[in-house]
């Protein structure tokens, strides 16, 4: 089954994606609660500081998801507020907002093209590594060390630095300086017990969540190369939707798991994606790739790393890319 352009346009016409300030305000208030509880547990100590680890990890992933919404202009209709919150939340997930925005929008434009999509750079980079390095990386991968998330962050920052040197805009420079400044501030003005006992474990837990949540979205799916690109209504073929418990989807990852829906409707705020998922399930049926309850990550953790990142040669793009 394929989704024709006419049906896609009909779905768009049936759904109006109005920005809801109440959702944004609730999100910010929830994050303030996470920060306050983390501070409170750390201040009390006596073992309670370790409760701050999952709270901070959740805050980091929510910050990534919220920054991602700002990248698409879905936080506020006012550009200054939208971008300011993007900068702020980018700091909490360790990513530079403006340069990451550039590479992420390129990811949407070239989605499915592993040669052009900057997010898929590891597919072309990793096979060039020497065999001993790949053996070590596979060992770390199998040990549930979030090595791919760390390497993906390295790619993001390399692209961001390159982009900032070209753009040299105030927003790009701020995007680099704010997360770096926050990290330096944490290491300079907090205790070593907080850094090593709470902060670094929270970062490790967040990166593991990045592995678990983000990697299934595009890996082991059919891909194209060269100058080919898929129109937006065909991108369900190169993106995988993951089904999580509702509280995880709504409150931790901000529906980022509805990934094929996001690629087909990138102008839809996160609070519309669940409804779009139900509509697309009717239209696409088995043509939509679904990962239920973390199945992908559990099946792929024991594999060789190169096997994990390879495109699925057994599947074909159903509609010829332009």
């Amino acid at each position: 089954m394929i989704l024709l352009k006419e049906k896609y346009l009909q779905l768009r016409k049936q759904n109006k994606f109005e920005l809801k300030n109440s959702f944004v305000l609730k999100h910010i208030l929830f994050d303030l609660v996470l920060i306050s509880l983390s501070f409170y547990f750390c201040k009390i100590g006596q073992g309670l500081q370790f409760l701050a680890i999952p709270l901070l990890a959740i805050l980091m992933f929510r910050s990534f998801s919220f920054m991602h919404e700002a990248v698409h202009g879905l936080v506020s209709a006012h550009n200054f507020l939208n971008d300011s919150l993007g900068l702020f939340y980018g700091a909490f997930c360790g990513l530079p907002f403006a340069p990451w925005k550039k590479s992420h929008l390129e990811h949407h434009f070239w989605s499915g093209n592993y040669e052009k999509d900057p997010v898929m750079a590891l597919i072309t980079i990793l096979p060039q590594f020497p065999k001993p390095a790949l053996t070590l990386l596979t060992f770390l991968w199998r040990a549930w060390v979030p090595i791919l998330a760390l390497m993906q962050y390295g790619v993001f920052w390399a692209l961001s630095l390159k982009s900032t040197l070209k753009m040299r805009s105030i927003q790009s420079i701020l995007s680099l300086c704010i997360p770096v400044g926050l990290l330096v501030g944490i290491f300079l003005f907090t205790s070593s017990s907080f850094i090593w006992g709470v902060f670094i474990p929270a970062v490790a837990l967040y990166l593991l969540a990045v592995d678990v949540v983000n990697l299934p979205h595009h890996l082991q799916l059919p891909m194209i190369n060269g100058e080919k690109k898929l129109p937006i209504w065909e991108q369900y073929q190169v993106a995988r939707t993951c089904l999580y418990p509702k509280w995880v989807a709504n409150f931790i990852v901000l529906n980022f798991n509805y990934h094929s829906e996001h690629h087909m409707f990138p102008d839809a705020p996160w609070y519309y994606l669940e409804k779009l998922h139900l509509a697309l399930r009717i239209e696409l049926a088995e043509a939509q790739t679904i990962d239920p309850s973390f199945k992908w990550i559990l099946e792929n953790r024991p594999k060789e790393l190169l096997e994990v990142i390879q495109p699925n040669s057994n599947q074909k793009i159903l509609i010829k890319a332009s």
Side-chain angles (χ1 to χ4, degrees):
M1 180 182 291
I2 58 176
L3 183 67
L4 299 177
K5 180 179 180 181
E6 293 75 16
K7 187 61 183 179
Y8 170 78
L9 293 175
Q10 184 181 342
L11 284 172
R12 288 201 64 87
K13 192 174 181 181
Q14 292 170 354
N15 292 273
K16 303 297 182 184
F17 307 129
E18 297 179 357
L19 300 184
K20 298 180 180 180
N21 293 332
S22 61
F23 276 80
V24 174
L25 182 58
K26 289 176 184 177
H27 174 94
I28 294 172
L29 291 174
F30 189 80
D31 289 336
L32 289 175
V33 170
L34 289 175
I35 294 171
S36 300
L37 284 174
S38 298
F39 179 79
Y40 175 72
F41 288 141
C42 289
K43 186 177 181 180
I44 291 178
Q46 299 179 350
L48 289 177
Q49 69 270 23
F50 298 117
L51 294 177
I53 295 172
L55 295 182
L56 289 174
I58 290 170
L59 174 68
M60 290 174 196
F61 204 103
R62 283 172 56 85
S63 297
F64 166 77
S65 297
F66 196 75
M67 182 199 68
H68 169 260
E69 293 292 305
V71 158
H72 288 279
L74 302 177
V75 171
S76 172
H78 302 283
N79 289 336
F80 178 78
L81 180 58
N82 182 87
D83 292 353
S84 297
L85 287 170
L87 284 166
F88 175 79
Y89 275 102
F92 278 90
C93 65
L95 287 171
F97 170 69
W100 193 83
K101 176 179 180 178
K102 181 178 182 296
S103 63
H104 184 73
L105 294 181
E106 287 178 6
H107 161 64
H108 275 267
F109 186 80
W110 292 108
S111 189
N113 188 319
Y114 67 91
E115 292 181 340
K116 297 285 187 179
D117 182 353
V119 172
M120 306 306 290
L122 291 179
I123 288 180
T124 57
I125 294 172
L126 273 177
Q128 301 176 30
F129 278 37
K131 190 172 180 180
L134 287 172
T135 301
L136 175 61
L137 291 173
T138 292
F139 171 79
L140 295 173
W141 166 257
R142 288 172 170 170
W144 286 82
V145 176
I147 189 63
L148 283 184
L150 278 168
M151 296 179 75
Q152 190 74 75
Y153 256 70
V155 169
F156 286 153
W157 272 93
L159 290 171
S160 297
L161 288 169
K162 183 178 179 181
S163 175
T164 301
L165 289 174
K166 279 186 177 181
M167 297 166 65
R168 295 185 180 179
S169 68
I170 293 176
Q171 192 182 76
S172 294
I173 294 170
L174 281 174
S175 297
L176 292 176
C177 292
I178 292 174
V180 171
L182 178 62
L183 184 64
V184 170
I186 288 171
F187 275 86
L188 287 180
F189 301 111
T190 63
S191 66
S192 59
S193 61
F194 170 78
I195 292 169
W196 297 104
V198 177
F199 177 68
I200 289 178
V203 170
L205 184 58
Y206 160 67
L207 290 173
L208 182 58
V210 171
D211 260 9
V212 171
V213 175
N214 290 10
L215 295 182
H217 289 164
H218 296 287
L219 291 180
Q220 297 178 357
L221 288 171
M223 292 188 182
I224 52 180
N225 56 12
E227 297 298 321
K228 296 177 182 178
K229 58 181 180 291
L230 287 170
I232 197 169
W233 58 89
E234 297 174 18
Q235 290 196 16
Y236 65 89
Q237 300 178 75
V238 293
R240 180 184 284 108
T241 281
C242 303
L243 299 183
Y244 299 152
K246 197 165 185 174
W247 65 272
V248 174
N250 291 348
F251 295 106
I252 297 182
V253 303
L254 301 188
N255 290 338
F256 194 60
N257 52 302
Y258 294 117
H259 210 67
S260 55
E261 293 80 2
H262 167 62
H263 268 263
M264 297 174 70
F265 298 91
D267 57 331
W270 80 89
Y271 36 84
Y272 289 103
L273 293 179
E274 188 174 5
K275 178 182 176 183
L276 286 170
H277 170 70
L278 297 175
L280 285 174
R281 287 299 288 156
I282 295 172
E283 298 299 331
L284 293 172
E286 298 303 318
Q288 186 182 24
T289 306
I290 302 289
D291 177 43
S293 302
F294 308 104
K295 182 180 177 182
W296 187 93
I297 195 72
L298 293 173
E299 287 183 346
N300 281 277
R301 215 75 204 195
K303 295 180 181 178
E304 295 280 344
L305 195 56
L306 288 185
E307 185 183 357
V308 173
I309 67 166
Q310 287 303 306
N312 190 338
S313 58
N314 295 323
Q315 292 180 288
K316 305 294 181 184
I317 298 290
L318 297 176
I319 304 174
K320 188 176 180 181
S322 59

